[in-house]
Amino acid sequence: MNVGLIGSGNMARAMARGWGRPVLCADPVASRAQALAEETGGEALASNAEVARRADLVVLCHKPAQLAAVAAEVAPHAKAVASILAATPLAALREAYPGKPVYRFIPSLPVEVRQGAVVQGAAPGGDGQDSDTDRAVSELFAELGSLVVLDDALVDVAMGLMSCAPAYVALVAEAQVDAGVRRGIPAAQGAELVVQTLAGTAELLRRRGNDTMAIRREVASPGGLTARGLDALERGGIRAAFSDALDAVLEKR
Ligand SMILES: NC(=O)c1ccc[n+]([C@@H]2O[C@H](COP(=O)([O-])OP(=O)(O)OC[C@H]3O[C@@H](n4cnc5c(N)ncnc54)[C@H](OP(=O)(O)O)[C@@H]3O)[C@@H](O)[C@H]2O)c1
């Protein structure tokens, strides 16, 4: 499947690196598209319309506010359209691309290393959808990590969990490293310990069927040190902080 990226910014680059194949791309900053094309062995094109003409699947990687302007250039030529735009439901995409097969995904930055969580929105009533294209597009995005299909109404909520989360996890890691610095561990060594622990814990959780409680029980023996640390985190409001973060993401502005 020949993929064409409309916009060549951070997420376009992360996905292209994850796919590891040549892409067609365009961007208002020509040098940005050129750099991405060179990196993937693909081609930077002079306009969004040209990308749409040449690609089997156009992937919308611009900002949500540009939906209508981009659709005016792309819709007449696109064979199929996949969007990664935040807060842009399938209904809005179908309105912008009438009669075309339209798909909605939300990726996360670790797609760059094929370890991303990717959410696909599902809603009845798409025009021009056919099952071969559906399957090929889903498989393409599944290459980037774990693909989870959700009702389209839940995609923005999911975005608050997985698409924003690389920033949250980076902040949590930084906070731990700084705590170690306060007690004398040099930042570089602290970061090595913390980041490896994150990666290893993620792998263990996966092998334990995502059973977070099982991991906590294995590490925290009754009356032990970890139990005291967990209690401090709870009293520090860690659950409320993550809950508030999700509310903040979903808050209408
Ligand atoms: N970053 C994430 O973690 C993440 C996660 C999930 C979803 N998303 C979604 O992914 C999309 C891109 O996000 P991003 O973080 O990659 O943003 P970004 O780095 O700003 O990339 C967007 C790119 O689109 C370009 N662009 C602007 N107008 C355009 C047009 N008319 N035609 C083609 N390209 C145009 C921008 O150029 P200029 O800078 O010159 O405007 C920029 O290079 C957004 O819709 C966002 O909601 C992002």
Side-chain angles (χ1 to χ4, degrees):
M1 179 172 273
N2 209 5
V3 172
L5 306 178
I6 306 292
S8 306
N10 291 310
M11 193 43 76
R13 186 172 58 239
M15 291 193 300
R17 285 177 174 166
W19 283 319
R21 286 193 292 274
V23 291
L24 302 168
C25 53
D27 195 278
V29 180
S31 60
R32 213 180 276 150
Q34 193 57 45
L36 187 57
E38 274 170 24
E39 184 176 336
T40 64
E43 211 177 327
L45 301 176
S47 70
N48 293 336
E50 203 180 339
V51 172
R53 269 193 291 272
R54 301 248 320 255
D56 301 316
L57 175 73
V58 160
V59 183
L60 306 179
C61 303
H62 52 78
K63 293 288 188 185
Q66 294 141 1
L67 176 65
V70 169
E73 299 169 73
V74 167
H77 314 289
K79 297 171 195 70
V81 180
S83 163
I84 64 161
L85 312 184
T88 309
L90 267 172
L93 297 167
R94 286 173 182 162
E95 200 179 316
Y97 290 89
K100 304 285 176 175
V102 169
Y103 305 89
R104 182 186 185 200
F105 295 92
I106 294 292
S108 56
L109 203 59
V111 294
E112 179 171 323
V113 290
R114 291 179 161 240
Q115 298 273 350
V118 182
V119 170
Q120 179 170 9
D127 295 325
Q129 235 74 0
D130 86 80
S131 58
D132 284 348
T133 311
D134 293 357
R135 197 173 318 109
V137 172
S138 292
E139 283 172 8
L140 179 76
F141 279 85
E143 287 178 22
L144 298 172
S146 291
L147 180 67
V148 174
V149 181
L150 283 176
D151 187 293
D152 196 55
L154 288 174
V155 167
D156 287 332
V157 181
M159 187 184 74
L161 297 188
M162 40 64 72
S163 173
C164 306
Y168 301 169
V169 172
L171 178 65
V172 167
E174 194 182 305
Q176 280 191 276
V177 172
D178 278 348
V181 167
R182 199 163 55 79
R183 291 291 192 137
I185 299 205
Q189 279 119 314
E192 187 60 36
L193 296 173
V194 166
V195 172
Q196 180 53 42
T197 301
L198 283 175
T201 306
E203 182 55 31
L204 260 188
L205 276 168
R206 197 181 286 286
R207 290 188 193 195
R208 302 276 206 281
N210 298 334
D211 188 345
T212 53
M213 179 61 89
I215 294 288
R216 293 209 288 132
R217 289 279 184 252
E218 279 182 54
V219 181
S221 47
L225 306 180
T226 305
R228 278 163 36 196
L230 285 169
D231 181 53
L233 285 172
E234 296 279 12
R235 280 186 290 110
I238 188 162
R239 284 177 198 269
F242 279 109
S243 187
D244 288 352
L246 183 56
D247 289 350
V249 167
L250 296 174
E251 210 168 70
K252 295 263 181 290
R253 269 171 291 154

